[in-house]
Amino acid sequence: MSAPAVQFAIGTSSTTAATTAETNVDKSLDDLIKERRKDTKTASASKKKQQRAGPKSAAASRSKKPTATDKSVGRGKAKRSAAAAARRGLAASSKPTAMQVEKEAYRQQRKKQAPNKKGGGGGGTQQSGAGKRRSRRVAENRREADVKAKAKARKQHQQQKK
């Protein structure tokens, strides 16, 4: 009884090993390199064809709209600020307007999207965004203080030289 003549390759399937082994053995090194380059070109071309979603797609528009939590937090903040304005006599009613609610919801959404940037996310204080939303009066006072401190330091330095 004779055994059937089957090619054997370790670590691969017997069906694919026979076909690939035969074709690769008959090729020169240059042919193998050219074939491998063709394979990588076709793989990269197929990756380029997969485009990301456009700016007007459903996926992009989802992130632009405030979520229910953003709206809820914004509504609460708008209520608090409206009540404070009414106590101070700045507003006629203690209820926030639709614009105030929308503005706070949008502000909350921006804070949520970029929590690591200046002024965004977490905590009531703006320690990380100290230079971002400062009023002009405070900024001018700070500049004056800096100028005075520099002048004082210059004066002390000149006195030390004498």
Side-chain angles (χ1 to χ4, degrees), residues 75 77-83 93-101:
R75 194 178 308 117
K77 287 187 178 186
K79 280 182 183 179
R80 285 193 296 279
S81 64
S93 77
S94 63
K95 291 186 177 182
T97 63
M99 185 184 74
Q100 288 172 326
V101 172

Side-chain angles (χ1 to χ4, degrees), residues 141-151:
N141 289 347
R142 185 172 182 204
R143 266 188 239 118
E144 289 174 19
D146 287 344
V147 169
K148 287 179 184 178
K150 285 181 182 178

Side-chain angles (χ1 to χ4, degrees), residues 62-78 101-113:
R62 260 188 262 134
S63 65
K64 291 182 181 178
K65 293 182 181 179
T67 61
T69 55
D70 294 338
K71 289 177 187 175
S72 176
V73 171
R75 194 178 308 117
K77 287 187 178 186
V101 172
E102 187 177 333
K103 188 187 281 186
E104 287 295 335
Y106 176 68
R107 187 173 287 160
Q108 188 67 26
Q109 177 197 11
R110 282 185 306 170
K111 287 173 94 174
K112 185 183 74 174
Q113 283 177 349

Side-chain angles (χ1 to χ4, degrees), residues 8-155:
F8 180 74
I10 296 175
T12 58
S13 160
S14 62
T15 56
T16 59
T19 58
T20 57
E22 288 173 8
T23 58
N24 286 342
V25 169
D26 295 339
K27 292 182 183 176
S28 68
L29 181 62
D30 293 332
D31 294 336
L32 290 171
I33 292 171
K34 284 180 186 177
E35 187 176 300
R36 182 174 287 172
R37 285 185 182 156
K38 284 181 188 176
D39 291 344
T40 55
K41 282 182 185 178
T42 56
S44 64
S46 65
K47 286 182 183 177
K48 287 180 183 177
K49 289 179 184 177
Q50 295 175 353
Q51 293 181 348
R52 64 182 184 90
K56 293 186 178 182
S57 69
S61 65
R62 260 188 262 134
S63 65
K64 291 182 181 178
K65 293 182 181 179
T67 61
T69 55
D70 294 338
K71 289 177 187 175
S72 176
V73 171
R75 194 178 308 117
K77 287 187 178 186
K79 280 182 183 179
R80 285 193 296 279
S81 64
R87 279 195 309 271
R88 295 174 186 146
L90 301 174
S93 77
S94 63
K95 291 186 177 182
T97 63
M99 185 184 74
Q100 288 172 326
V101 172
E102 187 177 333
K103 188 187 281 186
E104 287 295 335
Y106 176 68
R107 187 173 287 160
Q108 188 67 26
Q109 177 197 11
R110 282 185 306 170
K111 287 173 94 174
K112 185 183 74 174
Q113 283 177 349
N116 293 331
K117 292 189 179 177
K118 286 187 174 182
T125 61
Q126 288 187 341
Q127 292 174 353
S128 61
K132 193 172 181 184
R133 293 181 64 101
R134 180 175 285 144
S135 69
R136 177 176 285 163
R137 178 185 57 81
V138 175
E140 288 172 359
N141 289 347
R142 185 172 182 204
R143 266 188 239 118
E144 289 174 19
D146 287 344
V147 169
K148 287 179 184 178
K150 285 181 182 178
K152 188 176 179 182
R154 241 185 260 123
K155 200 176 209 182

